[in-house]
Amino acid sequence: MSHSVTYTKDGDIGIIAVNNPPVNALSHHVRQGLLESFTEANNDDTIATVLICGGRTFIAGADITEFGKPLRPPDFLETMGIIESLSKPAVAAIHGTALGGGLETALCCHYRVAVPSARVGLPEVTLGLLPGGGGTQRLPRLIGPEAALAAIISGTPMKADQAHAVGVIDQIVAEANLLEGAKAFARQLVAEGAKLNKVRDLNDKVTGVDLAIFDAARKQANKTRRGFEAPQRCIDCVEAACTLPFDEGLAKEQALFRQVLTSNQSASQLHIFFAERAAAKVNDMPKDTETLGIKKVGIIGAGTMGGGIAMNFVNAGMPVTILETSQEFLDKGLTVVRGNYERSAKRGRFTAEQVEQRMGLVTSTLDYAGLGDVDLIVEAVFENMDVKKEVFAKLDTVTKPECILATNTSTLDVDEIASVTKRPDKVIGTHFFSPANVMRLLEIVRGAKTSFETLATTQAVAKAIQKVGVVVGVCDGFVGNRMLHQYGAQAQYLLEEGCLPQDVDGAVYELGFAMGPMAMGDLAGLDVGWRIRQGKDLPASLPEGARYNAIADRVCELGRYGQKTGAGYYRYEQGDRTPHPDPAIEELIINYSKEKGIERRTISREEIVERLMCALINEGAKILEAGIAQRASDIDVIYVYGYGFPAYLGGPMFYADTVGLKKVYERVCFLAEQDPASWQPAPLLKKLAEEGRTFH
Ligand SMILES: NC(=O)c1ccc[n+]([C@@H]2O[C@H](COP(=O)([O-])OP(=O)(O)OC[C@H]3O[C@@H](n4cnc5c(N)ncnc54)[C@H](O)[C@@H]3O)[C@@H](O)[C@H]2O)c1
C-alpha cells in the first residue's frame, strides 16, 4: 500500500487523502495509492467518496522528475479509469492549485468542489506538452470546445469563481471547511439521487460543433505562438473530442502526447523551466544570507528607462520617488507613465480609480534631500561615466547608510561607479530591458565588492516585481549585450557580403525570433549605437586589421534613426510599425560593398542563421569561461526572457547542445579561417567539443 495516499471511512463517506509533499505531485506511488484506494472504496458500504489532499494544495500536477524516464506503473490512464468507474459519487475537494494531471484527476471524479482561493488549469502547453491524461477529451465535454481551447492553448489557470462559472467546479465551499463542505455536498448528491456524472459520457457540448472554430484557433495560435508545436497539437486533440468517440479521442491524445513529449521543443521548454529556477541560485552565497526590507524606492532619471522601472515598483505596491534635473523632464516622464497606465485601463486591465491609486504612489522631486528615506535607489540617467559618478557621489551623502544603490547602466563598469561611494558593498547593477515595465528579464550585475546581503536583497526585489533575475558579472555589455554585439557585427558583415536587411531579418524570423537584428535596431533607435561608436572614435581607434563595417553609420548619416524618424534600415508608414524594404537602403548597401571592393554573393538562409547563432554561442562560451555567467542555462534564460530567443529552442547554449558542440566548433573554426579578424574560437567550446561534452 502506498503511504502517500490513505483511505479512511468517515461514517458513510469514504475519504481518500493524498499526502505527497510539497505539492502532492502525481508520482507513481500516488497513482498506485489512488488506484488501490478507489478500488477499496468501490467495494465497501460507503455511499460516496471524497478525494482531498493534505498540505498547501490539491494535486498540483504530474511529477516532472519522472519526465524522460521509463514510466513506473500504474499508468495514468489506468488510475483515471478506476476513479471514473467508481460505482458511487466521487467528489474532488480542491484547494491550492489543481493543475495538469491534478485537474485531470479531478475531471475523473464525478463532481468537484473548491474553496474560493483555489485555481485550476491545464498548463502543459507552457512546457511544450499537451494534457495527456484525458484533459483534452474531458474538458471540452464539460465546458464546451471553445472554452476548453482557450484554457488549454493559453495554459493559464482559472480562479475558482471563473471555473465555477464555466462549469469546471460544481460548488464553491467555505475556505476553512473544505472537507466538511465536500462531505455535505456528497451526501446531498446521494439524497437527491444525483446520477454519476462521468465526464467521458457527456456528449452534448461536443456534438454538432462547427469545425471552423478549430481552423480559426490554428490561425490565431500561429500568430500568437508562432513556431510552437504544442498549441497546434492541443487544437488537434480538442477537435478529436468533437469528432471521435471518447476512447478514440483519448487514443489520439495519447499518440500526440507521445509525439510532443519526445520533441526537441518540449525538451527545450522544460530546460527553460528548470533553468529559470536554477538562475535563482548564487553558487557561493551562504544559505542563511539575510535580506533587507525594501519598502520605498528612489529612481534617478525619468527617461525611457526610469519611467518604466518606476512602474514595476508601483505595480508591486511600493511607493517611488523620481528625481530629475528639471521640472520639464519630470513632467514629461510622468506623462509617459500616466499614459501607459491609461492605455492599460482602456484595454480593461484595471479601472480609472486604480490608475489614480498607482499614480498616487509616485512622488517627484528635483532635490536629492527628497531621497533620505528610500531603501533602494535605481539610477537610470544618461549612459556616461562622469554623470553616473557625480550622481552616485551625491546619493552616497543623502541616502540612509543601509540604502542599496543600483545602476541601470548597460555597458559601464559597475565597480568604477561603486568606487566613488563609501559603500561599494551596497552598489549593484540592475540592468532592466526596454520596455522596462514589460520585459521579464533583469540582469543583476554583481560588482567586485557587492555584498551577499545586497545581492540577495536585489534578487528578492526582482521576485517582488515579477522579474526573472539572473546574476551576472561585470564586463562590457554583461551577458546579453556582450553576446548581442557579436551577433550584430555578423549581421552587418552579412550586409556587405551580399544580404539585404530583409534577408537577414527573414532568416532569423523564420528561426522563431520576434524580429531580426535590423528591425530590432530600427525599433531601439540606430542613433544610440552611432553615438557610442563616435564616442569611441571608431573606426580610427581600432587595431590594425580589425574589421569594421560602416553601413549603420551611413544609414544614420541620412538622418534615418529607425522607427522614431520613420526610416532606418526600413521605411515606415506614419503610425505603423511594419518595416517596408527600401530601395534607397538597397542602393546604399550595394554601393558600400562596391566601395570596399567586395563582390556580393547570394547567401543562404542556413548560412545566415549559422553565422548569427555561432556568434552568440562562441561569445557565450567565452562569457561562461570568464565566470561572467554562473552557468550555461543562465545565458539561455537571459536570451529567452530578454532577447526574444525562441523558448522552443531553449536558448543559444541549449540550442548549441542540440546541434552538437563538435559541429558548432567545426563551423566556428571554419568561419575563423575565412575571417580571422572577427572570429576567435572560444577555448571552452574547443575543450567541450573535443571531449564530446555539452554546455549543460
Ligand atoms: N533605452 C534602453 O533601451 C536601455 C536599456 C537598458 C539600459 N539602459 C540604460 O538606462 C540608462 C538610461 O537610459 P534611457 O534610455 O532611459 O535614457 P534617457 O535619455 O531616455 O533618460 C535619461 C534621463 O536621465 C535624466 N538625467 C540625466 N542626468 C541626470 C542627473 N544628473 N540627475 C537626474 N536625472 C538625470 C535625463 O534628463 C533623462 O530624462 C542608461 O544608463 C542606459 O544605458 C537603457
Side-chain angles (χ1 to χ4, degrees):
M1 182 88 192
S2 160
H3 294 297
S4 48
V5 184
T6 55
Y7 179 64
T8 49
K9 278 170 44 175
D10 186 348
D12 53 356
I13 307 281
I15 311 288
I16 295 174
V18 178
N19 273 295
N20 183 27
V23 292
N24 292 316
L26 209 49
S27 315
H28 72 93
H29 49 88
V30 173
R31 298 195 296 273
Q32 179 67 28
L34 287 172
L35 191 142
E36 288 168 358
S37 299
F38 272 93
T39 306
E40 197 179 340
N42 205 33
N43 294 331
D44 69 14
D45 56 357
T46 52
I47 58 166
T49 306
V50 168
L51 170 63
I52 193 163
C53 295
R56 61 181 150 103
T57 178
F58 192 76
I59 298 167
D63 182 346
I64 44 181
T65 62
E66 290 184 0
F67 284 8
K69 296 182 189 153
L71 187 81
R72 291 176 67 176
D75 95 8
F76 201 63
L77 294 185
E78 187 185 350
T79 308
M80 301 280 146
I82 296 283
I83 298 175
E84 199 165 40
S85 61
L86 188 73
S87 58
K88 56 192 100 180
V91 177
I94 301 171
H95 74 298
T97 48
L99 300 179
L103 177 58
E104 288 175 309
T105 306
L107 290 176
C108 291
C109 293
H110 307 129
Y111 295 91
R112 286 149 297 280
V113 300
V115 294
S117 62
R119 289 183 315 141
V120 303
L122 296 172
E124 286 83 348
V125 75
T126 58
L127 295 180
L129 298 171
L130 56 86
T136 65
Q137 304 305 297
R138 288 193 179 86
L139 197 61
R141 283 179 162 75
L142 196 59
I143 66 174
E146 281 172 289
L149 276 176
I152 295 171
I153 299 174
S154 73
T156 312
M158 294 181 224
K159 291 184 179 146
D161 55 349
Q162 209 185 341
H164 183 232
V166 293
V168 178
I169 302 295
D170 298 291
Q171 195 173 83
I172 303 278
V173 299
E175 195 77 45
N177 241 345
L178 178 59
L179 182 59
E180 287 312 312
K183 283 194 310 191
F185 182 75
R187 286 202 179 96
Q188 188 190 335
L189 289 173
V190 176
E192 289 171 358
K195 65 179 171 67
L196 297 187
N197 216 7
K198 294 185 187 178
V199 179
R200 59 174 288 143
D201 296 335
L202 305 176
N203 287 322
D204 283 3
K205 292 192 169 137
V206 291
T207 308
V209 173
D210 177 2
L211 299 184
I213 63 168
F214 298 107
D215 286 337
R218 285 188 181 96
K219 279 200 193 113
Q220 179 66 13
N222 259 335
K223 261 197 226 151
T224 55
R225 314 293 313 279
R226 191 174 60 88
F228 285 85
E229 271 291 315
Q232 299 293 337
R233 300 295 78 80
C234 289
I235 298 168
D236 295 346
C237 289
V238 177
E239 185 175 31
C242 300
T243 53
L244 299 174
F246 182 82
D247 286 322
E248 286 176 37
L250 200 59
K252 175 141 193 182
E253 179 194 271
Q254 286 306 292
L256 292 179
F257 179 70
R258 276 191 294 274
Q259 187 183 318
V260 290
L261 184 65
T262 51
S263 70
N264 276 343
Q265 289 208 352
S266 74
S268 304
Q269 288 178 256
L270 208 58
H271 163 69
I272 290 298
F273 176 86
F274 286 117
E276 189 183 329
R277 275 141 195 86
K281 292 183 199 88
V282 178
N283 289 336
D284 58 337
M285 182 148 73
K287 275 213 162 59
D288 54 358
T289 303
E290 302 266 334
T291 56
L292 298 169
I294 303 294
K295 296 199 173 61
K296 203 164 177 225
V297 180
I299 310 281
I300 316 298
T304 311
M305 296 305 286
I309 293 169
M311 288 175 73
N312 286 297
F313 292 102
V314 168
N315 294 344
M318 284 184 238
V320 299
T321 302
I322 308 187
L323 180 138
E324 256 292 351
T325 47
S326 77
Q327 191 60 43
E328 183 196 339
F329 292 142
L330 260 184
D331 293 344
K332 207 168 127 194
L334 291 184
T335 307
V336 173
V337 171
R338 175 175 281 281
N340 284 337
Y341 280 136
E342 283 175 351
R343 257 195 306 283
S344 297
K346 257 195 206 133
R347 283 195 223 113
R349 297 220 3 241
F350 37 75
T351 62
E353 196 188 339
Q354 285 168 320
V355 173
E356 295 315 317
Q357 269 168 10
R358 281 171 160 80
M359 289 310 292
L361 287 174
V362 183
T363 314
S364 55
T365 181
L366 297 172
D367 183 359
Y368 275 80
L371 300 170
D373 63 344
V374 302
D375 308 301
L376 164 72
I377 293 276
V378 182
E379 164 276 314
V381 304
F382 301 136
E383 185 76 343
N384 175 298
M385 184 54 92
D386 293 337
V387 179
K388 301 243 187 221
K389 278 183 170 171
E390 195 190 319
V391 168
F392 270 72
K394 267 194 215 144
L395 289 170
D396 198 29
T397 60
V398 297
T399 56
K400 301 187 286 196
E402 64 272 26
C403 177
I404 291 177
L405 307 180
T407 171
N408 185 47
T409 179
S410 20
T411 53
L412 300 174
D413 184 343
V414 175
D415 294 329
E416 194 178 337
I417 296 174
S419 72
V420 300
T421 72
K422 290 191 201 68
R423 58 178 109 173
D425 58 311
K426 295 214 165 351
V427 176
I428 194 162
T430 47
H431 185 208
F432 288 82
F433 289 74
S434 182
N437 53 320
V438 176
M439 297 296 288
R440 296 277 320 278
L441 179 65
L442 181 69
E443 277 186 331
I444 299 174
V445 189
R446 178 181 181 179
K449 295 191 176 157
T450 306
S451 70
F452 284 123
E453 183 187 65
T454 302
L455 195 53
T457 304
T458 309
Q459 287 185 297
V461 166
K463 212 169 169 190
I465 60 173
Q466 293 180 17
K467 297 284 176 203
V468 179
V470 183
V471 176
V472 301
V474 175
C475 68
D476 189 354
F478 314 123
V479 171
N481 284 349
R482 177 169 154 183
M483 286 166 66
L484 194 72
H485 187 71
Q486 299 301 328
Y487 168 89
Q490 284 306 313
Q492 293 293 326
Y493 302 150
L494 284 163
L495 293 184
E496 66 179 25
E497 289 170 33
C499 290
L500 293 175
Q502 55 270 31
D503 301 328
V504 179
D505 285 355
V508 174
Y509 181 80
E510 201 168 83
L511 187 69
F513 278 77
M515 64 183 86
M518 309 300 161
M520 194 164 86
D522 275 2
L523 176 68
L526 302 175
D527 53 324
V528 182
W530 188 36
R531 279 186 225 294
I532 293 174
R533 290 191 295 278
Q534 284 172 333
K536 289 182 179 167
D537 194 20
L538 293 176
S541 62
L542 285 176
E544 175 113 13
R547 191 168 173 180
Y548 187 78
N549 173 309
I551 291 175
D553 300 339
R554 299 271 170 97
V555 173
C556 287
E557 281 159 20
L558 297 174
R560 301 176 66 125
Y561 297 165
Q563 287 190 16
K564 60 181 161 191
T565 57
Y569 287 110
Y570 299 96
R571 63 176 183 81
Y572 299 86
E573 306 284 350
Q574 183 97 33
D576 184 9
R577 291 172 179 273
T578 316
H580 298 281
D582 190 338
I585 288 296
E586 190 172 331
E587 197 185 323
L588 183 153
I589 292 172
I590 291 170
N591 285 342
Y592 183 77
S593 304
K594 216 180 272 167
E595 188 186 310
K596 276 186 113 178
I598 297 170
E599 192 172 328
R600 292 177 68 79
R601 63 186 174 94
T602 307
I603 302 177
S604 69
R605 291 205 152 187
E606 291 71 34
E607 183 179 341
I608 298 170
V609 167
E610 180 179 285
R611 292 257 297 264
L612 296 179
M613 291 304 110
C614 281
L616 288 178
I617 297 161
N618 195 44
E619 195 64 20
K622 290 181 186 174
I623 283 171
L624 205 52
E625 198 164 23
I628 298 295
Q630 290 189 95
R631 47 188 88 81
S633 63
D634 284 2
I635 299 178
D636 291 331
V637 172
I638 288 172
Y639 261 76
V640 167
Y641 285 107
Y643 293 85
F645 197 100
Y648 58 72
L649 295 177
M653 309 313 270
F654 189 82
Y655 173 76
D657 284 349
T658 318
V659 173
L661 295 193
K662 187 166 170 287
K663 184 167 173 209
V664 173
Y665 177 61
E666 277 168 12
R667 297 313 295 166
V668 172
C669 289
F670 169 79
L671 292 165
E673 262 171 44
Q674 311 279 307
D675 176 14
S678 59
W679 290 95
Q680 292 83 39
L684 177 66
L685 178 60
K686 176 175 194 281
K687 182 170 178 289
L688 294 177
E690 284 173 355
E691 291 171 2
R693 290 166 59 197
T694 59
F695 281 123
H696 295 92

